């Protein structure tokens, strides 16, 4: 398995007005799903026009560029990839022109049989410009479009070949489609906006465009989205769903509703359950902003211990998580966060974060809190220890980097320098999400993968069925 792995945001809109400005707005709303590049493809009678660039939406897709696009249907993408794959060549939507016309694809997820499938296509004479798994998706779809000329048939065949996670917004000439992989790893939903329809990674975008949420795209479903209606087609289903638990824990916006569960509500429930499972005798509960905030509120409500904001976050600072070097990551934490001395001095506190991956962030923050005079620092974490890599679209790839890899909770506590450390249990997390265990992907916390990953333990037998 190689190639850049993407955890991104996708959108497609069809309406009776120019959709380019709304595509750009939507990408700003789902900017948290990817900050490395952004792009929009719009179709009109003149054909397909695409604007992509590296950087935040406001820089990659400024008004001067977006105002040159005009069409009633289009797709957009924000990208978040691992370090080392920042080339604008990998920016999406990816487009191709073939005998049947044009295709533009926006992909969120990771294709786990990428290497094997790419080898097969290379051997058959297909050429590739990038090492992105999304390009492979484009090539597979184009092959079947050339073969069948029918988008639905082509997409069904594509789904039979692809393994792993994919939420796709696809534009084939002027027809817009949403496709979700049979396990439903990544979110995708449909709504009504501007007298037309939208497919988008997160429902918060539909609210922000003053639209109406209709429903989630079902795992394994293909939806053709038109201005006045949408048509559902059976793609492929799998007996077990495997929604990524990390979408609720960390990745998605708190105001989004994913597969029927509001993200904020899940995070608050996590905090409440954490308070029950790992109580602490302290003066206050403090979040690590922003991702630990809802978890901390839940902890404070359940424990009846006051909630305080003890960190000032620099909202203009860069993300620390993807910096390649440990020293740089540590330095970046102090640029990003500073304790509020009057709040923390002389206090015993629980600090709540959504997850610990490498442990860099918390180690540094605890050091800063002690320097600011904190008396006791107890850590509570909204997800169980991350022990296994994600192959389905979250940037947690290197087992050897995980602080919980091969260590006890006590050993981790010592490394990060906390007075006590408590993680939510796997059962507690399942209870908070409120879905049965066999509808969730928990691979990063239990090492059991929903699909076949060479060298890893497989959790479900594939029972794929193309007639649902
Ligand atoms: P670490 O310092 O590696 O333990 O980072 C954990 C922090 O990064 C947590 O506070 C999370 O909010 C955040 N985080 C967790 N997973 C990811 C991810 N895949 N990408 C970016 N940030 C993340």
């Amino acid at each position: 398995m190689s190639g850049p792995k993407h955890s991104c945001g996708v959108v497609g809109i069809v309406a009776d007005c120019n959709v380019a400005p709304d595509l750009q707005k939507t990408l700003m709303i789902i900017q948290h799903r990817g900050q490395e590049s952004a792009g929009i493809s719009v179709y009109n009678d003149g054909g397909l026009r695409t604007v992509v660039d590296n950087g935040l939406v406001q820089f990659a897709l400024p008004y001067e560029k977006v105002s040159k696009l005009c069409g009633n249907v289009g797709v957009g993408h924000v990208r978040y990839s691992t370090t080392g794959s920042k080339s604008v060549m990998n920016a999406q939507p990816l487009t191709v022109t073939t005998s049947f016309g044009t295709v533009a694809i926006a992909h969120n997820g990771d294709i786990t049989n990428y290497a094997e499938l790419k080898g097969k296509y290379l051997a058959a004479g297909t050429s590739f410009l990038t090492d992105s798994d999304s390009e492979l998706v484009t090539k597979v779809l184009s092959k079947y479009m050339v073969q069948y000329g029918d988008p639905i048939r082509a997409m069904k065949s594509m789904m039979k070949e692809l393994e792993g996670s994919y939420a796709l917004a696809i534009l084939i000439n002027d027809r817009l489609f949403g496709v979700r992989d049979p396990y439903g790893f990544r979110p995708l939903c449909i709504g009504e906006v501007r007298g037309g329809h939208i497919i988008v990674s997160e429902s918060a975008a539909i609210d922000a465009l003053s639209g109406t949420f209709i429903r989630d795209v079902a795992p394994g479903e293909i939806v053709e989205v038109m201005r006045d209606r949408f048509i559902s087609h059976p793609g492929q289903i799998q007996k077990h769903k495997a929604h990524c638990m990390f979408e609720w824990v960390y990745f998605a916006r708190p105001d989004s509703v994913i597969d029927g569960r509001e993200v904020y509500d899940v995070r608050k429930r996590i905090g409440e359950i954490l308070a029950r499972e790992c109580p602490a005798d302290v003066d206050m509960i403090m979040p690590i902003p922003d991702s630990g905030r809802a978890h901390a509120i839940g902890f404070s409500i359940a424990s009846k211990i006051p909630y305080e904001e003890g960190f000032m976050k620099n909202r203009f600072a860069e993300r620390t998580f993807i910096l390649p070097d440990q020293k740089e990551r540590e330095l970046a934490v102090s640029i990003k966060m500073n304790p509020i001395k009057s709040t923390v001095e002389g206090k015993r506190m629980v600090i709540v974060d959504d997850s610990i991956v490498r442990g860099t962030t918390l180690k540094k923050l605890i050091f800063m809190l002690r320097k600011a005079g904190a008396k006791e620092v107890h850590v509570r974490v909204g997800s169980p220890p991350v022990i296994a890599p994600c192959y389905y679209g979250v940037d947690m790839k290197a087992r050897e980097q995980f602080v919980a890899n091969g260590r006890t909770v006590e050993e981790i506590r010592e490394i990060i320098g906390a007075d006590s450390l408590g993680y939510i249990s796997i059962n507690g997390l399942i209870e908070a999400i409120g879905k049965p265990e066999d509808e969730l992907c928990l691979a990063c916390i239990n090492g059991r993968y929903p699909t076949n990953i060479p060298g890893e333990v497989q959790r479900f037998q594939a029972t794929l069925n193309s007639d649902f």
Side-chain angles (χ1 to χ4, degrees), residues 233-374:
H233 299 271
Q236 229 189 4
I237 53 155
Q238 149 67 27
K239 200 167 84 198
H240 302 282
K241 295 169 193 155
H243 304 308
C244 166
M245 69 84 180
F246 224 59
E247 290 280 350
W248 285 286
V249 166
Y250 164 75
F251 208 58
R253 276 172 62 134
D255 50 341
S256 284
V257 179
I258 294 179
D259 293 302
R261 292 289 287 121
E262 186 191 58
V263 175
Y264 181 78
D265 190 52
V266 170
R267 290 186 190 167
K268 231 171 89 186
R269 283 286 299 137
I270 288 175
E272 287 165 7
I273 294 166
L274 254 179
R276 184 182 81 205
E277 292 185 342
C278 319
D281 181 18
V282 292
D283 307 314
M284 63 189 201
I285 311 299
M286 235 172 71
I288 307 300
D290 293 305
S291 50
R293 203 165 262 141
H295 309 78
I297 289 171
F299 198 112
S300 163
I301 292 171
S303 62
K304 301 196 172 61
I305 300 171
Y307 172 93
E308 288 277 0
E309 290 276 348
F311 277 112
M312 176 63 213
K313 184 175 174 182
N314 176 354
R315 71 183 64 162
F316 306 105
E318 263 200 273
R319 288 182 318 147
T320 49
F321 193 87
I322 61 156
L323 293 174
D325 176 72
Q326 183 66 12
K327 268 261 152 306
E328 278 184 61
R329 279 195 293 267
E330 281 176 28
L331 186 70
V333 174
S334 52
I335 295 172
K336 198 157 107 180
M337 221 88 83
N338 194 38
I340 299 171
K341 209 165 177 211
S342 63
T343 312
V344 303
E345 199 165 18
K347 300 277 178 35
R348 299 170 305 154
M349 66 200 66
V350 156
I351 57 172
V352 188
D353 205 356
D354 63 275
S355 58
I356 303 183
V357 184
R358 302 182 187 97
T360 319
T361 315
L362 275 169
K363 185 177 175 181
K364 182 83 190 170
L365 292 179
I366 293 166
F367 175 79
M368 287 157 73
L369 285 172
R370 294 207 193 279
K371 208 169 143 217

Side-chain angles (χ1 to χ4, degrees), residues 34-35 186 210 212 264 270 282 301 306 372 403 443 453 466:
Q35 297 94 39
R186 300 277 144 240
S210 307
T212 310
Y264 181 78
I270 288 175
V282 292
I301 292 171
V403 69
I453 305 282
S466 46

Side-chain angles (χ1 to χ4, degrees), residues 6 8 10 33 92 105-113 117 133-134 137 140 154-170 178-188 201 217-222 235-238 242 391-393 451 464:
H6 302 144
C8 313
V10 302
R33 298 188 69 85
Q92 298 188 36
I105 290 190
H107 169 215
N108 173 200
D110 280 356
I111 303 304
T112 51
N113 61 340
L117 209 51
D133 57 350
S134 308
V137 176
V140 175
M155 279 184 261
K156 282 187 184 179
S157 298
M158 171 191 79
M159 290 172 89
K160 282 203 182 106
E161 286 198 9
L162 301 179
E163 283 173 20
S165 62
Y166 50 92
L168 301 164
I170 302 176
V179 180
R180 201 170 173 199
D181 72 66
Y183 291 87
F185 285 104
R186 300 277 144 240
L188 192 66
S201 299
V217 175
E221 185 183 9
I222 300 167
Q236 229 189 4
I237 53 155
Q238 149 67 27
Y391 299 102
Y392 306 115
T451 66
L464 291 168

